[in-house]
Amino acid sequence: MDLRSVSNGMRKVLPLKYCGAVIVAAGNASRMGGIDKVMAELNGEPMIVRTVRTFQTCDAIKEIVIVTREDLIMPIMKLCADFDKVKAVVVGGANRAESVSMGLSALSDKVKLAAIQDGARPLITHEVIDRTVRAAHSYGAAAPAIPVKDTIKVVTGGVVSSTPERKTLQAVQTPQVFDLTLLKSALKKAKEDGAEVTDDCSAVERLGMSVKIVEGDERNIKVTTPLDLAIAKLLLEEMQ
C-alpha cells in the first residue's frame, strides 16, 4: 500500500477501486448526414480508436468493454486488437440504457467502479478520466461538467415558459463513473418504471442519490453532427 508524507506525519493512501470502462458506440448516427461517426476518420484513424486508446493508456482504468452495433463487432475487434484492456466487444440494445446494461454485464467480477463513456467523445483526456474516477471512489457517483455559457430557455408549445438561472446550470459530459452495484440497480429500476433516462446520472438520481460534479473539459465534445466532426478535427490539431 502506498504511503504519502504529510506535514503531521505519515498517513495511508488507499488505492483506487478497480474500475472498468464501458464505451458506448451503438448509435445509428442519424444526425451525421450518412457518416458513420464511430468509424469516421479523425487524424487518420477511426474516432472509436482514439476514444478507446485514451482509456487503454489511463492508469485509473483496468479493463474495457465496447458496446456497438452488430455490423461493427468484427471491425472494432480488429481495430482494438492491440489494446489489452479491451475484454469484450458486445452488441448494444434498443436504447442507451439497455446498451450500458449489456456492457456492464460483460465486465469482470473484479470491477467495483464502472466508467460509462460515449464512444463519440474522442478528445477525452487522462486528466478528466482520473478526476472522475477518484471522485466516484469517494462519493459513489461522479461526472465531469462545464458551466453553460448560453442562456437556457424552457420552451413549451413554441413559447418560453421559464428561464433557469444560468449560474446553476452545467453541461454534463462523460465518463460518468459509479459504484457498479448502484448503477446496475438504478438502470434496473428505470427499466421497471418505464422511465426514459437521458444519461446514467439521471438513472442514479431517480434513486435519490447525489452525483458529485468534477471539472470537465470544453474540448471533450460529443460528435453528433458533421459540424461537430469538423470542430473535433480542429481541436485535435490544437491539442497535438
Side-chain angles (χ1 to χ4, degrees):
M1 184 175 293
D2 294 332
L3 295 176
R4 182 178 299 168
S5 178
V6 293
S7 58
N8 60 350
M10 300 292 289
R11 67 180 176 86
K12 293 180 179 180
V13 177
L14 296 175
L16 284 175
K17 295 174 184 176
Y18 192 100
C19 184
V22 173
I23 299 178
V24 184
N28 57 17
S30 59
R31 288 175 284 179
M32 283 295 291
I35 302 172
D36 191 332
K37 67 180 179 181
V38 174
M39 305 297 283
E41 185 177 296
L42 195 59
N43 197 29
E45 63 184 359
M47 185 189 310
I48 187 64
V49 174
R50 280 202 58 83
T51 305
V52 176
R53 181 184 293 113
T54 305
F55 282 79
Q56 165 72 27
T57 55
C58 183
D59 291 341
I61 302 299
K62 304 306 181 185
E63 63 182 71
I64 300 167
V65 169
I66 304 169
V67 185
T68 191
R69 305 193 312 263
E70 187 169 8
D71 61 301
L72 291 179
I73 291 286
M74 290 307 299
I76 288 179
M77 287 181 66
K78 290 178 181 178
L79 287 169
C80 297
D82 293 333
F83 297 153
D84 63 343
K85 289 183 183 179
V86 176
K87 303 305 181 185
V89 182
V90 301
V91 177
N95 54 47
R96 179 187 169 82
E98 285 188 14
S99 293
V100 171
S101 294
M102 290 177 176
L104 295 176
S105 296
L107 292 171
S108 76
D109 292 339
K110 296 179 182 179
V111 173
K112 303 301 180 185
L113 294 176
I116 313 302
Q117 169 71 9
D118 294 322
R121 289 188 190 268
L123 305 186
I124 182 63
T125 63
H126 291 159
E127 291 77 13
V128 172
I129 297 171
D130 187 75
R131 269 199 298 274
T132 315
V133 171
R134 290 182 182 279
H137 173 90
S138 298
Y139 294 92
I146 57 173
V148 170
K149 295 178 180 179
D150 296 325
T151 296
I152 304 298
K153 302 289 186 180
V154 177
V155 179
T156 305
V159 176
V160 173
S161 58
S162 64
T163 304
E165 193 172 355
R166 186 170 61 186
K167 67 181 181 181
T168 67
L169 301 176
Q170 295 209 25
V172 178
Q173 303 176 332
T174 65
Q176 297 177 5
V177 188
F178 309 89
D179 174 88
L180 178 60
T181 302
L182 170 63
L183 181 55
K184 283 184 173 181
S185 297
L187 291 173
K188 182 173 182 284
K189 177 64 172 172
K191 183 176 181 179
E192 289 173 350
D193 294 346
E196 291 187 17
V197 290
T198 56
D199 69 349
D200 305 293
C201 286
S202 300
V204 170
E205 291 160 21
R206 292 185 71 256
L207 297 183
M209 300 295 295
S210 297
V211 177
K212 177 65 174 177
I213 294 297
V214 301
E215 181 183 359
D217 189 329
E218 289 187 340
R219 299 169 300 182
N220 184 24
I221 66 171
K222 184 177 182 180
V223 176
T224 304
T225 68
L227 177 59
D228 295 332
L229 182 60
I231 293 171
K233 290 178 179 179
L234 292 173
L235 288 172
L236 182 57
E237 290 177 6
E238 180 186 277
M239 293 168 68
Q240 292 180 333

